[in-house]
Amino acid sequence: MPIFAKIQGKTLYADNDDDEELPDINLDITHTKVFLGRADAYPADESLGPHMGTCHSKSVSRRHLTISWDPDRDQWQLYVDSKNGVVVDTKFWEKGKTVDLFHKSAIKFGPCACYFVLPGGEGEPVIAASTVAAPPPPPPPPPVAVPPPLFVPPPPEPTSVVV
């Protein structure tokens, strides 16, 4: 499975338990649409796409943000799903907003601070999401054979018109 991008960073503080370990965030984006949010003990509903848990903080929604590839614009984007919002490159974005992501875009939500990293470096993903082979189209239907007519009427007799 291709890795289109990575999310790399840290959990900066624990707001649930003083003894909670502060994990690093290292997530591989292997789909063109993923949801990031709170890592819960129960499985997330993945009917809309893969879910990636980041931390256990209550300030992070179960589905906090969506990262997706826009093939029409050839651009990665972040959509804010949480009423708590997201900070991207020092600018706050509220729920319902979409922001373009670039190599090393800084993303902060709840206690999570991370970077969106394109493996190829500055603006060059290793595998551009638009180049992933789409499934082959279905084969065309077989041609329909039209049987010859059983009876061909004779051509009409020429008529002369008297004026």
Side-chain angles (χ1 to χ4, degrees):
M1 186 165 282
I3 297 174
F4 300 119
K6 293 179 179 271
I7 300 293
Q8 296 177 327
K10 292 194 77 56
T11 303
L12 301 177
Y13 58 88
D15 60 3
N16 296 338
D17 184 354
D18 293 338
D19 295 332
E20 182 180 345
E21 187 176 321
L22 301 178
D24 288 342
I25 299 169
N26 289 301
L27 305 171
D28 293 338
I29 297 178
T30 57
H31 293 79
T32 56
K33 184 175 187 179
V34 295
F35 301 97
L36 273 68
R38 183 170 65 235
D40 284 327
Y42 61 89
D45 174 19
E46 295 198 4
S47 62
L48 300 174
H51 178 269
M52 303 174 114
T54 55
C55 65
H56 297 285
S57 172
K58 293 289 185 184
S59 63
V60 175
S61 303
R62 289 183 185 105
R63 195 169 125 188
H64 203 95
L65 59 95
T66 303
I67 293 178
S68 61
W69 175 256
D70 181 350
D72 296 331
R73 296 181 54 233
D74 214 26
Q75 178 68 52
W76 284 100
Q77 296 181 320
L78 181 148
Y79 177 80
V80 182
D81 291 306
S82 172
K83 66 180 180 180
N84 293 335
V86 175
V87 175
V88 178
D89 294 327
T90 70
K91 183 175 179 189
F92 178 79
W93 296 88
E94 62 189 18
K95 181 176 181 169
K97 299 295 183 181
T98 302
V99 58
D100 289 343
L101 291 176
F102 302 96
H103 179 62
K104 293 190 179 176
S105 286
I107 303 170
K108 167 96 172 55
F109 55 104
C112 304
C114 49
Y115 290 97
F116 176 80
V117 180
L118 294 170
E122 200 63 44
E124 295 181 35
V126 169
I127 301 173
S130 59
T131 63
V132 173
V144 177
V146 178
L150 298 175
F151 172 76
V152 178
E157 291 287 327
T159 59
S160 59
V161 178
V162 178
V163 182

